[in-house]
Amino acid sequence: MKVLFYRLALKLYKSLFFVNKLRETKNCFFLTFDDGPHPKGTPAVLDFLSKYNIRATFFMIGKRILEYPEIFEDVIREGHTIGNHSFSHLNGWKTPFKHYIDCLLYTSDAA
């Protein structure tokens, strides 16, 4: 099972992060935001991050990417990393493995 998961992780790596490669940096921390894009929250966060020249990772839900494509594009345009947070925020502990992976791949296609 470990080998299967490892191979799957290698295959999916490109679909887990859509934009920007993570940079090797010393003395840093990573800011992440989940469940976006959101029509009120995401623009407010982007304004704050821009004001202080901060980059973050936004774990986006595929369904919301389709609902708010312009906000998704704003996040990319401002140089942030986009992470795949599934298509509809499935519960990974209660969702069959294949269905969960299919939803991740569908989200990658949506982006």
Side-chain angles (χ1 to χ4, degrees), residues 45-71:
V45 168
L46 288 175
D47 288 345
F48 178 85
L49 295 174
S50 178
K51 180 177 178 180
Y52 295 100
N53 197 29
I54 298 170
R55 296 293 170 262
T57 299
F58 288 78
F59 287 92
M60 301 275 188
I61 296 173
K63 182 177 175 182
R64 290 192 173 174
I65 291 171
L66 296 176
E67 290 175 23
Y68 308 108
E70 58 285 333
I71 299 172

PDB file of all heavy atoms in Angstrom, residues 45-71:
ATOM      1  N   VAL A  45      -8.023  39.461   2.062  1.00  0.00           N
ATOM      2  CA  VAL A  45      -6.727  38.853   2.379  1.00  0.00           C
ATOM      3  C   VAL A  45      -5.683  39.289   1.352  1.00  0.00           C
ATOM      4  O   VAL A  45      -4.555  39.638   1.710  1.00  0.00           O
ATOM      5  CB  VAL A  45      -6.846  37.314   2.436  1.00  0.00           C
ATOM      6  CG1 VAL A  45      -5.476  36.658   2.465  1.00  0.00           C
ATOM      7  CG2 VAL A  45      -7.667  36.886   3.651  1.00  0.00           C
ATOM      8  N   LEU A  46      -6.063  39.303   0.078  1.00  0.00           N
ATOM      9  CA  LEU A  46      -5.130  39.719  -0.968  1.00  0.00           C
ATOM     10  C   LEU A  46      -4.668  41.161  -0.759  1.00  0.00           C
ATOM     11  O   LEU A  46      -3.480  41.470  -0.941  1.00  0.00           O
ATOM     12  CB  LEU A  46      -5.760  39.567  -2.349  1.00  0.00           C
ATOM     13  CG  LEU A  46      -5.934  38.144  -2.860  1.00  0.00           C
ATOM     14  CD1 LEU A  46      -6.683  38.150  -4.187  1.00  0.00           C
ATOM     15  CD2 LEU A  46      -4.610  37.431  -2.981  1.00  0.00           C
ATOM     16  N   ASP A  47      -5.586  42.040  -0.380  1.00  0.00           N
ATOM     17  CA  ASP A  47      -5.215  43.439  -0.120  1.00  0.00           C
ATOM     18  C   ASP A  47      -4.193  43.531   1.013  1.00  0.00           C
ATOM     19  O   ASP A  47      -3.201  44.255   0.920  1.00  0.00           O
ATOM     20  CB  ASP A  47      -6.450  44.272   0.231  1.00  0.00           C
ATOM     21  CG  ASP A  47      -7.342  44.530  -0.966  1.00  0.00           C
ATOM     22  OD1 ASP A  47      -6.894  44.313  -2.113  1.00  0.00           O
ATOM     23  OD2 ASP A  47      -8.506  44.934  -0.743  1.00  0.00           O
ATOM     24  N   PHE A  48      -4.441  42.795   2.088  1.00  0.00           N
ATOM     25  CA  PHE A  48      -3.526  42.809   3.230  1.00  0.00           C
ATOM     26  C   PHE A  48      -2.148  42.262   2.829  1.00  0.00           C
ATOM     27  O   PHE A  48      -1.119  42.874   3.134  1.00  0.00           O
ATOM     28  CB  PHE A  48      -4.103  41.991   4.391  1.00  0.00           C
ATOM     29  CG  PHE A  48      -3.181  41.925   5.567  1.00  0.00           C
ATOM     30  CD1 PHE A  48      -3.169  42.938   6.511  1.00  0.00           C
ATOM     31  CD2 PHE A  48      -2.314  40.850   5.725  1.00  0.00           C
ATOM     32  CE1 PHE A  48      -2.308  42.882   7.595  1.00  0.00           C
ATOM     33  CE2 PHE A  48      -1.450  40.786   6.806  1.00  0.00           C
ATOM     34  CZ  PHE A  48      -1.444  41.810   7.744  1.00  0.00           C
ATOM     35  N   LEU A  49      -2.138  41.138   2.141  1.00  0.00           N
ATOM     36  CA  LEU A  49      -0.868  40.537   1.736  1.00  0.00           C
ATOM     37  C   LEU A  49      -0.092  41.453   0.796  1.00  0.00           C
ATOM     38  O   LEU A  49       1.130  41.590   0.912  1.00  0.00           O
ATOM     39  CB  LEU A  49      -1.117  39.181   1.078  1.00  0.00           C
ATOM     40  CG  LEU A  49      -1.708  38.091   1.975  1.00  0.00           C
ATOM     41  CD1 LEU A  49      -2.036  36.849   1.148  1.00  0.00           C
ATOM     42  CD2 LEU A  49      -0.803  37.759   3.137  1.00  0.00           C
ATOM     43  N   SER A  50      -0.800  42.087  -0.106  1.00  0.00           N
ATOM     44  CA  SER A  50      -0.165  43.004  -1.050  1.00  0.00           C
ATOM     45  C   SER A  50       0.460  44.200  -0.321  1.00  0.00           C
ATOM     46  O   SER A  50       1.572  44.620  -0.645  1.00  0.00           O
ATOM     47  CB  SER A  50      -1.185  43.481  -2.073  1.00  0.00           C
ATOM     48  OG  SER A  50      -0.604  44.396  -2.958  1.00  0.00           O
ATOM     49  N   LYS A  51      -0.248  44.723   0.646  1.00  0.00           N
ATOM     50  CA  LYS A  51       0.234  45.884   1.413  1.00  0.00           C
ATOM     51  C   LYS A  51       1.591  45.602   2.049  1.00  0.00           C
ATOM     52  O   LYS A  51       2.446  46.483   2.128  1.00  0.00           O
ATOM     53  CB  LYS A  51      -0.797  46.246   2.484  1.00  0.00           C
ATOM     54  CG  LYS A  51      -0.418  47.420   3.342  1.00  0.00           C
ATOM     55  CD  LYS A  51      -1.527  47.746   4.323  1.00  0.00           C
ATOM     56  CE  LYS A  51      -1.130  48.896   5.231  1.00  0.00           C
ATOM     57  NZ  LYS A  51      -2.192  49.214   6.193  1.00  0.00           N
ATOM     58  N   TYR A  52       1.819  44.362   2.481  1.00  0.00           N
ATOM     59  CA  TYR A  52       3.058  44.000   3.172  1.00  0.00           C
ATOM     60  C   TYR A  52       3.984  43.114   2.323  1.00  0.00           C
ATOM     61  O   TYR A  52       4.950  42.557   2.835  1.00  0.00           O
ATOM     62  CB  TYR A  52       2.734  43.309   4.501  1.00  0.00           C
ATOM     63  CG  TYR A  52       2.042  44.248   5.445  1.00  0.00           C
ATOM     64  CD1 TYR A  52       0.664  44.219   5.607  1.00  0.00           C
ATOM     65  CD2 TYR A  52       2.762  45.217   6.152  1.00  0.00           C
ATOM     66  CE1 TYR A  52       0.019  45.098   6.465  1.00  0.00           C
ATOM     67  CE2 TYR A  52       2.128  46.107   7.003  1.00  0.00           C
ATOM     68  CZ  TYR A  52       0.755  46.035   7.149  1.00  0.00           C
ATOM     69  OH  TYR A  52       0.123  46.925   8.003  1.00  0.00           O
ATOM     70  N   ASN A  53       3.668  43.011   1.028  1.00  0.00           N
ATOM     71  CA  ASN A  53       4.483  42.235   0.100  1.00  0.00           C
ATOM     72  C   ASN A  53       4.708  40.801   0.605  1.00  0.00           C
ATOM     73  O   ASN A  53       5.823  40.313   0.648  1.00  0.00           O
ATOM     74  CB  ASN A  53       5.814  42.930  -0.181  1.00  0.00           C
ATOM     75  CG  ASN A  53       6.482  42.374  -1.417  1.00  0.00           C
ATOM     76  OD1 ASN A  53       5.826  41.908  -2.334  1.00  0.00           O
ATOM     77  ND2 ASN A  53       7.802  42.410  -1.418  1.00  0.00           N
ATOM     78  N   ILE A  54       3.619  40.142   0.993  1.00  0.00           N
ATOM     79  CA  ILE A  54       3.664  38.789   1.537  1.00  0.00           C
ATOM     80  C   ILE A  54       3.051  37.834   0.508  1.00  0.00           C
ATOM     81  O   ILE A  54       2.052  38.150  -0.119  1.00  0.00           O
ATOM     82  CB  ILE A  54       2.856  38.700   2.854  1.00  0.00           C
ATOM     83  CG1 ILE A  54       3.470  39.623   3.908  1.00  0.00           C
ATOM     84  CG2 ILE A  54       2.781  37.269   3.352  1.00  0.00           C
ATOM     85  CD1 ILE A  54       2.600  39.767   5.153  1.00  0.00           C
ATOM     86  N   ARG A  55       3.661  36.666   0.371  1.00  0.00           N
ATOM     87  CA  ARG A  55       3.118  35.618  -0.487  1.00  0.00           C
ATOM     88  C   ARG A  55       2.574  34.509   0.400  1.00  0.00           C
ATOM     89  O   ARG A  55       3.070  34.254   1.490  1.00  0.00           O
ATOM     90  CB  ARG A  55       4.181  35.032  -1.416  1.00  0.00           C
ATOM     91  CG  ARG A  55       4.739  36.024  -2.412  1.00  0.00           C
ATOM     92  CD  ARG A  55       3.683  36.445  -3.430  1.00  0.00           C
ATOM     93  NE  ARG A  55       4.141  37.553  -4.229  1.00  0.00           N
ATOM     94  CZ  ARG A  55       3.837  38.826  -4.005  1.00  0.00           C
ATOM     95  NH1 ARG A  55       3.073  39.159  -2.989  1.00  0.00           N
ATOM     96  NH2 ARG A  55       4.282  39.778  -4.784  1.00  0.00           N
ATOM     97  N   ALA A  56       1.544  33.827  -0.090  1.00  0.00           N
ATOM     98  CA  ALA A  56       0.894  32.762   0.676  1.00  0.00           C
ATOM     99  C   ALA A  56       0.468  31.651  -0.273  1.00  0.00           C
ATOM    100  O   ALA A  56       0.552  31.779  -1.489  1.00  0.00           O
ATOM    101  CB  ALA A  56      -0.327  33.319   1.421  1.00  0.00           C
ATOM    102  N   THR A  57      -0.007  30.573   0.319  1.00  0.00           N
ATOM    103  CA  THR A  57      -0.598  29.480  -0.445  1.00  0.00           C
ATOM    104  C   THR A  57      -2.090  29.467  -0.174  1.00  0.00           C
ATOM    105  O   THR A  57      -2.515  29.504   0.982  1.00  0.00           O
ATOM    106  CB  THR A  57       0.021  28.125  -0.041  1.00  0.00           C
ATOM    107  OG1 THR A  57       1.418  28.165  -0.317  1.00  0.00           O
ATOM    108  CG2 THR A  57      -0.615  26.977  -0.822  1.00  0.00           C
ATOM    109  N   PHE A  58      -2.871  29.429  -1.238  1.00  0.00           N
ATOM    110  CA  PHE A  58      -4.322  29.386  -1.141  1.00  0.00           C
ATOM    111  C   PHE A  58      -4.782  28.002  -1.603  1.00  0.00           C
ATOM    112  O   PHE A  58      -4.617  27.658  -2.771  1.00  0.00           O
ATOM    113  CB  PHE A  58      -4.960  30.454  -2.032  1.00  0.00           C
ATOM    114  CG  PHE A  58      -4.773  31.853  -1.513  1.00  0.00           C
ATOM    115  CD1 PHE A  58      -3.566  32.519  -1.663  1.00  0.00           C
ATOM    116  CD2 PHE A  58      -5.820  32.507  -0.878  1.00  0.00           C
ATOM    117  CE1 PHE A  58      -3.403  33.809  -1.193  1.00  0.00           C
ATOM    118  CE2 PHE A  58      -5.666  33.799  -0.395  1.00  0.00           C
ATOM    119  CZ  PHE A  58      -4.448  34.451  -0.554  1.00  0.00           C
ATOM    120  N   PHE A  59      -5.324  27.217  -0.668  1.00  0.00           N
ATOM    121  CA  PHE A  59      -5.867  25.910  -1.023  1.00  0.00           C
ATOM    122  C   PHE A  59      -7.308  26.117  -1.476  1.00  0.00           C
ATOM    123  O   PHE A  59      -8.186  26.434  -0.680  1.00  0.00           O
ATOM    124  CB  PHE A  59      -5.778  24.944   0.162  1.00  0.00           C
ATOM    125  CG  PHE A  59      -4.371  24.497   0.413  1.00  0.00           C
ATOM    126  CD1 PHE A  59      -3.558  25.166   1.297  1.00  0.00           C
ATOM    127  CD2 PHE A  59      -3.859  23.418  -0.290  1.00  0.00           C
ATOM    128  CE1 PHE A  59      -2.252  24.764   1.512  1.00  0.00           C
ATOM    129  CE2 PHE A  59      -2.553  23.003  -0.085  1.00  0.00           C
ATOM    130  CZ  PHE A  59      -1.745  23.676   0.819  1.00  0.00           C
ATOM    131  N   MET A  60      -7.505  25.967  -2.783  1.00  0.00           N
ATOM    132  CA  MET A  60      -8.771  26.313  -3.402  1.00  0.00           C
ATOM    133  C   MET A  60      -9.652  25.091  -3.653  1.00  0.00           C
ATOM    134  O   MET A  60      -9.172  24.012  -3.957  1.00  0.00           O
ATOM    135  CB  MET A  60      -8.522  26.994  -4.744  1.00  0.00           C
ATOM    136  CG  MET A  60      -7.698  28.252  -4.656  1.00  0.00           C
ATOM    137  SD  MET A  60      -8.759  29.639  -4.269  1.00  0.00           S
ATOM    138  CE  MET A  60      -7.609  30.981  -4.470  1.00  0.00           C
ATOM    139  N   ILE A  61     -10.957  25.316  -3.550  1.00  0.00           N
ATOM    140  CA  ILE A  61     -11.958  24.304  -3.842  1.00  0.00           C
ATOM    141  C   ILE A  61     -12.391  24.483  -5.302  1.00  0.00           C
ATOM    142  O   ILE A  61     -12.736  25.592  -5.722  1.00  0.00           O
ATOM    143  CB  ILE A  61     -13.160  24.445  -2.890  1.00  0.00           C
ATOM    144  CG1 ILE A  61     -12.698  24.175  -1.463  1.00  0.00           C
ATOM    145  CG2 ILE A  61     -14.296  23.518  -3.295  1.00  0.00           C
ATOM    146  CD1 ILE A  61     -13.756  24.451  -0.408  1.00  0.00           C
ATOM    147  N   GLY A  62     -12.343  23.388  -6.071  1.00  0.00           N
ATOM    148  CA  GLY A  62     -12.640  23.463  -7.501  1.00  0.00           C
ATOM    149  C   GLY A  62     -13.984  24.083  -7.821  1.00  0.00           C
ATOM    150  O   GLY A  62     -14.119  24.889  -8.742  1.00  0.00           O
ATOM    151  N   LYS A  63     -15.003  23.732  -7.061  1.00  0.00           N
ATOM    152  CA  LYS A  63     -16.347  24.277  -7.283  1.00  0.00           C
ATOM    153  C   LYS A  63     -16.334  25.801  -7.161  1.00  0.00           C
ATOM    154  O   LYS A  63     -16.956  26.509  -7.947  1.00  0.00           O
ATOM    155  CB  LYS A  63     -17.298  23.658  -6.255  1.00  0.00           C
ATOM    156  CG  LYS A  63     -18.722  24.063  -6.375  1.00  0.00           C
ATOM    157  CD  LYS A  63     -19.554  23.313  -5.332  1.00  0.00           C
ATOM    158  CE  LYS A  63     -20.986  23.785  -5.337  1.00  0.00           C
ATOM    159  NZ  LYS A  63     -21.790  23.107  -4.324  1.00  0.00           N
ATOM    160  N   ARG A  64     -15.581  26.309  -6.190  1.00  0.00           N
ATOM    161  CA  ARG A  64     -15.513  27.765  -6.002  1.00  0.00           C
ATOM    162  C   ARG A  64     -14.641  28.441  -7.053  1.00  0.00           C
ATOM    163  O   ARG A  64     -14.861  29.609  -7.378  1.00  0.00           O
ATOM    164  CB  ARG A  64     -15.024  28.084  -4.598  1.00  0.00           C
ATOM    165  CG  ARG A  64     -16.055  27.740  -3.554  1.00  0.00           C
ATOM    166  CD  ARG A  64     -15.706  28.307  -2.235  1.00  0.00           C
ATOM    167  NE  ARG A  64     -16.797  28.099  -1.292  1.00  0.00           N
ATOM    168  CZ  ARG A  64     -16.709  28.403  -0.022  1.00  0.00           C
ATOM    169  NH1 ARG A  64     -15.607  28.916   0.468  1.00  0.00           N
ATOM    170  NH2 ARG A  64     -17.735  28.191   0.766  1.00  0.00           N
ATOM    171  N   ILE A  65     -13.656  27.706  -7.561  1.00  0.00           N
ATOM    172  CA  ILE A  65     -12.861  28.261  -8.661  1.00  0.00           C
ATOM    173  C   ILE A  65     -13.772  28.532  -9.854  1.00  0.00           C
ATOM    174  O   ILE A  65     -13.673  29.571 -10.498  1.00  0.00           O
ATOM    175  CB  ILE A  65     -11.728  27.300  -9.064  1.00  0.00           C
ATOM    176  CG1 ILE A  65     -10.670  27.235  -7.950  1.00  0.00           C
ATOM    177  CG2 ILE A  65     -11.079  27.724 -10.380  1.00  0.00           C
ATOM    178  CD1 ILE A  65      -9.625  26.151  -8.161  1.00  0.00           C
ATOM    179  N   LEU A  66     -14.682  27.602 -10.121  1.00  0.00           N
ATOM    180  CA  LEU A  66     -15.624  27.782 -11.233  1.00  0.00           C
ATOM    181  C   LEU A  66     -16.626  28.893 -10.950  1.00  0.00           C
ATOM    182  O   LEU A  66     -17.055  29.588 -11.869  1.00  0.00           O
ATOM    183  CB  LEU A  66     -16.348  26.472 -11.529  1.00  0.00           C
ATOM    184  CG  LEU A  66     -15.462  25.319 -12.020  1.00  0.00           C
ATOM    185  CD1 LEU A  66     -16.281  24.046 -12.197  1.00  0.00           C
ATOM    186  CD2 LEU A  66     -14.753  25.688 -13.317  1.00  0.00           C
ATOM    187  N   GLU A  67     -17.002  29.084  -9.679  1.00  0.00           N
ATOM    188  CA  GLU A  67     -17.958  30.136  -9.308  1.00  0.00           C
ATOM    189  C   GLU A  67     -17.315  31.518  -9.334  1.00  0.00           C
ATOM    190  O   GLU A  67     -17.981  32.500  -9.658  1.00  0.00           O
ATOM    191  CB  GLU A  67     -18.510  29.880  -7.910  1.00  0.00           C
ATOM    192  CG  GLU A  67     -19.442  28.700  -7.807  1.00  0.00           C
ATOM    193  CD  GLU A  67     -19.874  28.416  -6.372  1.00  0.00           C
ATOM    194  OE1 GLU A  67     -19.826  29.331  -5.526  1.00  0.00           O
ATOM    195  OE2 GLU A  67     -20.241  27.273  -6.089  1.00  0.00           O
ATOM    196  N   TYR A  68     -16.046  31.614  -8.960  1.00  0.00           N
ATOM    197  CA  TYR A  68     -15.360  32.908  -8.826  1.00  0.00           C
ATOM    198  C   TYR A  68     -14.027  32.895  -9.577  1.00  0.00           C
ATOM    199  O   TYR A  68     -12.961  33.102  -8.982  1.00  0.00           O
ATOM    200  CB  TYR A  68     -15.126  33.240  -7.353  1.00  0.00           C
ATOM    201  CG  TYR A  68     -16.367  33.152  -6.512  1.00  0.00           C
ATOM    202  CD1 TYR A  68     -16.546  32.110  -5.604  1.00  0.00           C
ATOM    203  CD2 TYR A  68     -17.389  34.099  -6.622  1.00  0.00           C
ATOM    204  CE1 TYR A  68     -17.692  32.015  -4.829  1.00  0.00           C
ATOM    205  CE2 TYR A  68     -18.534  34.007  -5.851  1.00  0.00           C
ATOM    206  CZ  TYR A  68     -18.676  32.961  -4.967  1.00  0.00           C
ATOM    207  OH  TYR A  68     -19.816  32.868  -4.207  1.00  0.00           O
ATOM    208  N   PRO A  69     -14.057  32.676 -10.888  1.00  0.00           N
ATOM    209  CA  PRO A  69     -12.794  32.569 -11.639  1.00  0.00           C
ATOM    210  C   PRO A  69     -11.955  33.844 -11.603  1.00  0.00           C
ATOM    211  O   PRO A  69     -10.725  33.774 -11.618  1.00  0.00           O
ATOM    212  CB  PRO A  69     -13.248  32.240 -13.060  1.00  0.00           C
ATOM    213  CG  PRO A  69     -14.660  32.726 -13.141  1.00  0.00           C
ATOM    214  CD  PRO A  69     -15.222  32.565 -11.751  1.00  0.00           C
ATOM    215  N   GLU A  70     -12.596  34.999 -11.515  1.00  0.00           N
ATOM    216  CA  GLU A  70     -11.821  36.250 -11.497  1.00  0.00           C
ATOM    217  C   GLU A  70     -11.023  36.388 -10.199  1.00  0.00           C
ATOM    218  O   GLU A  70      -9.899  36.898 -10.210  1.00  0.00           O
ATOM    219  CB  GLU A  70     -12.723  37.470 -11.728  1.00  0.00           C
ATOM    220  CG  GLU A  70     -13.862  37.648 -10.736  1.00  0.00           C
ATOM    221  CD  GLU A  70     -15.041  36.704 -10.920  1.00  0.00           C
ATOM    222  OE1 GLU A  70     -15.303  36.237 -12.046  1.00  0.00           O
ATOM    223  OE2 GLU A  70     -15.713  36.426  -9.914  1.00  0.00           O
ATOM    224  N   ILE A  71     -11.570  35.925  -9.100  1.00  0.00           N
ATOM    225  CA  ILE A  71     -10.827  35.977  -7.829  1.00  0.00           C
ATOM    226  C   ILE A  71      -9.671  34.981  -7.874  1.00  0.00           C
ATOM    227  O   ILE A  71      -8.556  35.282  -7.428  1.00  0.00           O
ATOM    228  CB  ILE A  71     -11.754  35.705  -6.628  1.00  0.00           C
ATOM    229  CG1 ILE A  71     -12.855  36.764  -6.568  1.00  0.00           C
ATOM    230  CG2 ILE A  71     -10.956  35.697  -5.324  1.00  0.00           C
ATOM    231  CD1 ILE A  71     -13.935  36.491  -5.533  1.00  0.00           C
TER     232      ILE A  71
END
